[in-house]
Amino acid sequence: MKYDKILLEHGGGGLLSHELVTGKFLPLFRNEWLERLEDGAVFEIGGTRFCLSTDSYVVQPLFFPGGDIGSLAVHGTVNDIAMCGGDPLFLCAGFILEEGFPMADLERIIRSMSEAADLSGVRIITGDTKVVARGSADGLFINTAGIGIIRYVHSISVASIREGDVVIVSGTIGDHAAAIMSIREGLGLETGLLSDSAPLGGLVKAILDASPHIHCMRDPTRGGLGAILAEIAQQSGLEIIIDERPIPVRDAVKGVCEILGLDPLFLANEGKLVVFCPEGEGGRVLTAMQNHAYGRDAAIIGKVQGHVTRGRLVVNTMIGGSREVDLPTGELVPRIC
Amino acid sequence: MKYDKILLEHGGGGLLSHELVTGKFLPLFRNEWLERLEDGAVFEIGGTRFCLSTDSYVVQPLFFPGGDIGSLAVHGTVNDIAMCGGDPLFLCAGFILEEGFPMADLERIIRSMSEAADLSGVRIITGDTKVVARGSADGLFINTAGIGIIRYVHSISVASIREGDVVIVSGTIGDHAAAIMSIREGLGLETGLLSDSAPLGGLVKAILDASPHIHCMRDPTRGGLGAILAEIAQQSGLEIIIDERPIPVRDAVKGVCEILGLDPLFLANEGKLVVFCPEGEGGRVLTAMQNHAYGRDAAIIGKVQGHVTRGRLVVNTMIGGSREVDLPTGELVPRIC
């Protein structure tokens, strides 16, 4: 790798994140589970399939419209488990606190985690707290890891995606990042934007009940829908074609993007998912999603064209052109989750 | 709770850590698993018992004699699982990196984690990387969480401790903290001290093979042997009496303690454990421990006297006196793990 120091972009969910994972972590930790590079790792014990997932949360500010670091830390890991088709059961939580952090804020965050856990149907059953001196951390970082049971027979994985699959997104994109950015830039109250942070286990259940044959699911967090689809295209060696027109984007998000020069396609979401399902089941899955509170604005946005020499994502733009979209190389919005 | 801000002592493994956990986390997250306040949480799925545990690592310096933050992050979580009688199987790892962190150091740490995982018989199967701006974290923090299977029938827990139990420590105490402190204070090379950081799964297996009836195991990390025994006494409502004389302490550790005014009883260990076992099995367990590489200096150091109005730890000192030992209130050695 060509970098001798860690850059912000190594944590951005784009090209440098990908290079760090595949260039450093994967070669040294290599094993059949990690190799799949999914949101969680799936393993089997005594005939039962489990999913294990982890994420650290460093979002700033800690409290934002529509959520806080506590609910985000629960939803984020619960969603990663749900993306593997798992029912999230148990979480553990690790806190790194900066000396001087207000106890009242900590209590508010713990309360928010507790409520999010209740809503998500998981229990936080063990944890750890570390404190570092003033200046050695920025307030509070939370790690959550979680375990779920996978009850579906079919493998929900990038490896399962096939030519002809339709691509469905569960709702408006960019809400989370736009809400955070509007607060940071002082646009907060005017836009009225809320983070979409939400637990997706129920929506996933609705999808799998409608079609247990879906091929792959992902929640487009860091790097947004664009990065996640570009990565899937790369991993699978498939050409994925999406249309910009049907992708739901709130007017307020468009507004923030115009002001700040951002593209909603690369903005983080914390309560959305994208599904790849067999062509014949697209309609049924779409209806099931639209009937769920967290999928009301779901839309079919593209399809899988087939195998190509080098997997790629092609976006048909609003104005009728088409462009190839790569993993983003810059860090659009740091500390978004 | 009487503090309105987080103090370093809230992460020290002593009284304030205990108050934070029982006063804030427990009431809001309350559930049957967390309530037990063990090193890991034990749950059952389909007739199989599992243990889930997590720890964040913030040790400074990142590289120290006898280990580094990478091996420590693997051993620490593996040991917490082993203390529940679990065979550690899978870990996940979350990295929080400061912008500008040297890539070569990261690579060295990943390599060390990989070697420690091989040695411990676990696989690191999923992970996460976040990067924060320069000044928002101190180099690198690692969280590991892990899952293990518990194959033993008897419950290994504070709740299982009985009057008459003998207390055995697996070897010299204070090595880890003394090694770190001697480096920080510039005494490093002279003392020749090494951290005892090691995976304890094999030693635990030897113990359980010798006596599947042992009652409780703990690894005395933050707060040391003194804090862990005081906490167990408090939790169980039992009086625990230990003798200072048989507790193994290296001369170099005694030396560092004299220079820095520390008590080995409260110094962190990262490759030691303390066992509570039925009186009649003490000899057998001790021999099994002494026959294992990580238990060669094991010694019987005390016994459980019985129920009292308020559980307490009594230490019979070298010079023939006795003192009651409470959870330490100050932070002896910050960022030790």
Side-chain angles (χ1 to χ4, degrees):
Chain A
M1 202 175 306
K2 46 194 179 297
Y3 301 95
D4 65 349
K5 290 194 187 306
I6 289 290
L7 309 180
L8 279 178
E9 288 81 356
H10 281 114
L15 185 65
L16 265 59
S17 289
H18 183 80
E19 283 183 8
L20 182 62
V21 170
T22 57
K24 298 287 179 195
F25 289 105
L26 195 55
L28 284 165
F29 289 158
R30 187 173 291 282
N31 56 65
E32 58 182 295
W33 301 275
L34 188 64
E35 252 162 26
R36 298 167 57 129
L37 296 176
E38 311 263 355
D39 283 344
V42 175
F43 58 90
E44 194 172 320
I45 292 175
T48 303
R49 278 188 309 148
F50 296 90
C51 171
L52 180 70
S53 189
T54 187
D55 260 323
S56 296
Y57 299 85
V58 299
V59 66
Q60 267 298 330
L62 297 177
F63 302 95
F64 48 81
D68 58 50
I69 190 172
S71 52
L72 190 69
V74 171
H75 296 155
T77 295
V78 158
N79 290 350
D80 282 345
I81 294 170
M83 291 311 113
C84 303
D87 280 346
L89 295 177
F90 298 113
L91 296 188
C92 51
F95 296 79
I96 297 174
L97 289 152
E98 184 186 9
E99 181 188 13
F101 189 77
M103 195 64 86
D105 285 356
L106 179 60
E107 190 157 348
R108 195 174 148 199
I109 288 162
I110 299 173
R111 199 174 296 277
S112 165
M113 290 182 79
S114 169
E115 287 166 7
D118 284 347
L119 196 66
S120 312
V122 292
R123 298 273 162 218
I124 299 168
I125 59 172
T126 187
D128 174 56
T129 310
K130 294 290 188 310
V131 181
V132 297
R134 220 175 272 268
S136 292
D138 188 10
L140 166 70
F141 302 139
I142 301 178
N143 175 283
T144 53
I147 187 147
I149 293 191
I150 300 176
R151 302 184 203 274
Y152 291 88
V153 179
H154 298 281
S155 170
I156 297 166
S157 161
V158 170
S160 303
I161 298 174
R162 293 287 172 272
E163 185 175 340
D165 278 6
V166 296
V167 182
I168 311 176
V169 71
S170 66
T172 55
I173 64 167
D175 296 10
H176 176 71
I180 298 262
M181 285 308 284
S182 65
I183 281 291
R184 284 197 204 151
E185 305 288 330
L187 314 169
L189 294 175
E190 292 162 49
T191 66
L193 268 173
L194 298 179
S195 163
D196 58 348
S197 179
L200 295 174
L203 178 60
V204 167
K205 194 176 175 311
I207 292 169
L208 288 169
D209 284 351
S211 166
H213 305 289
I214 67 151
H215 290 152
C216 184
M217 270 184 300
R218 279 290 173 85
D219 55 338
T221 55
R222 277 183 295 178
L225 185 63
I228 213 73
L229 291 179
E231 194 174 53
I232 289 174
Q234 228 178 66
Q235 269 181 261
S236 64
L238 291 160
E239 184 174 66
I240 299 171
I241 301 188
I242 62 166
D243 292 321
E244 240 174 13
R245 229 171 300 228
I247 298 175
V249 185
R250 284 182 205 284
D251 286 338
V253 171
K254 286 180 194 159
V256 169
C257 282
E258 264 166 39
I259 295 171
L260 302 175
L262 300 170
D263 183 343
L265 201 57
F266 299 105
L267 290 190
N269 310 275
E270 291 292 343
K272 297 293 160 17
L273 58 82
V274 57
V275 188
F276 288 76
C277 70
E279 203 171 358
E281 316 221 348
R284 202 184 322 161
V285 170
L286 181 68
T287 304
M289 288 169 80
Q290 288 170 338
N291 286 334
H292 191 279
Y294 292 141
R296 215 166 281 147
D297 301 318
I300 292 178
I301 59 165
K303 62 177 179 176
V304 177
Q305 199 65 5
H307 280 280
V308 283
T309 319
R310 194 180 55 76
R312 61 178 196 156
L313 171 65
V314 176
V315 178
N316 295 325
T317 62
M318 295 278 185
I319 52 166
S322 88
R323 58 178 171 135
E324 189 177 329
V325 168
D326 246 329
L327 278 173
T329 51
E331 170 77 317
L332 286 179
V333 188
R335 299 190 57 186
I336 200 68
C337 58
Chain B
M1 201 175 306
K2 47 194 179 294
Y3 300 95
D4 66 349
K5 289 193 187 306
I6 290 289
L7 309 180
L8 279 178
E9 289 80 354
H10 282 114
L15 184 65
L16 265 60
S17 290
H18 184 79
E19 283 183 6
L20 183 63
V21 170
T22 56
K24 298 286 179 196
F25 290 105
L26 195 53
L28 285 165
F29 290 158
R30 187 174 293 283
N31 56 63
E32 58 182 297
W33 301 275
L34 189 64
E35 251 161 26
R36 298 167 57 128
L37 296 176
E38 311 264 355
D39 282 344
V42 175
F43 58 90
E44 195 172 321
I45 292 176
T48 303
R49 279 189 307 149
F50 295 90
C51 171
L52 180 70
S53 190
T54 187
D55 260 323
S56 295
Y57 298 86
V58 299
V59 66
Q60 268 298 331
L62 298 176
F63 303 94
F64 47 81
D68 57 52
I69 190 172
S71 52
L72 190 68
V74 171
H75 296 155
T77 295
V78 158
N79 290 350
D80 282 345
I81 294 169
M83 292 310 113
C84 304
D87 280 348
L89 295 178
F90 297 114
L91 296 188
C92 51
F95 295 80
I96 297 174
L97 289 151
E98 184 186 9
E99 182 189 13
F101 189 77
M103 195 64 86
D105 285 356
L106 178 60
E107 189 157 349
R108 196 175 148 199
I109 287 162
I110 299 173
R111 199 174 295 278
S112 165
M113 290 183 79
S114 170
E115 288 167 5
D118 284 347
L119 196 65
S120 311
V122 292
R123 298 273 161 218
I124 298 167
I125 60 172
T126 188
D128 173 58
T129 309
K130 294 289 188 310
V131 181
V132 296
R134 221 175 273 268
S136 293
D138 188 11
L140 166 70
F141 303 139
I142 301 178
N143 176 283
T144 53
I147 188 148
I149 293 190
I150 300 176
R151 302 184 202 274
Y152 292 88
V153 179
H154 298 280
S155 169
I156 297 166
S157 161
V158 170
S160 303
I161 298 175
R162 293 286 173 272
E163 184 176 340
D165 278 6
V166 296
V167 182
I168 311 176
V169 71
S170 66
T172 55
I173 63 167
D175 295 13
H176 176 70
I180 298 263
M181 285 308 284
S182 64
I183 282 291
R184 284 197 203 151
E185 304 289 329
L187 314 168
L189 294 174
E190 292 161 47
T191 66
L193 268 173
L194 299 179
S195 163
D196 58 349
S197 179
L200 295 174
L203 178 59
V204 167
K205 193 177 176 309
I207 291 170
L208 288 169
D209 284 351
S211 166
H213 305 289
I214 67 152
H215 290 154
C216 185
M217 270 184 302
R218 279 290 173 85
D219 54 340
T221 55
R222 277 183 294 178
L225 186 62
I228 213 73
L229 291 178
E231 194 174 53
I232 289 174
Q234 228 177 67
Q235 270 181 261
S236 63
L238 291 161
E239 184 174 66
I240 300 171
I241 301 186
I242 62 166
D243 292 321
E244 240 173 15
R245 227 172 301 229
I247 298 174
V249 184
R250 284 183 206 282
D251 286 338
V253 171
K254 286 181 195 160
V256 168
C257 283
E258 265 166 40
I259 294 170
L260 302 174
L262 301 169
D263 183 342
L265 202 57
F266 299 105
L267 290 189
N269 310 275
E270 292 291 343
K272 297 294 161 16
L273 58 83
V274 58
V275 189
F276 288 76
C277 71
E279 203 171 359
E281 316 221 348
R284 204 185 321 159
V285 170
L286 182 67
T287 305
M289 289 169 80
Q290 288 170 338
N291 285 334
H292 190 279
Y294 292 141
R296 214 166 280 145
D297 300 319
I300 292 177
I301 60 166
K303 63 176 177 179
V304 177
Q305 200 64 6
H307 280 278
V308 282
T309 319
R310 194 180 56 76
R312 62 179 196 155
L313 171 64
V314 176
V315 178
N316 295 325
T317 62
M318 295 279 187
I319 52 166
S322 89
R323 60 178 171 133
E324 189 177 328
V325 168
D326 246 328
L327 278 173
T329 50
E331 170 78 317
L332 286 177
V333 188
R335 298 187 61 183
I336 200 68
C337 58

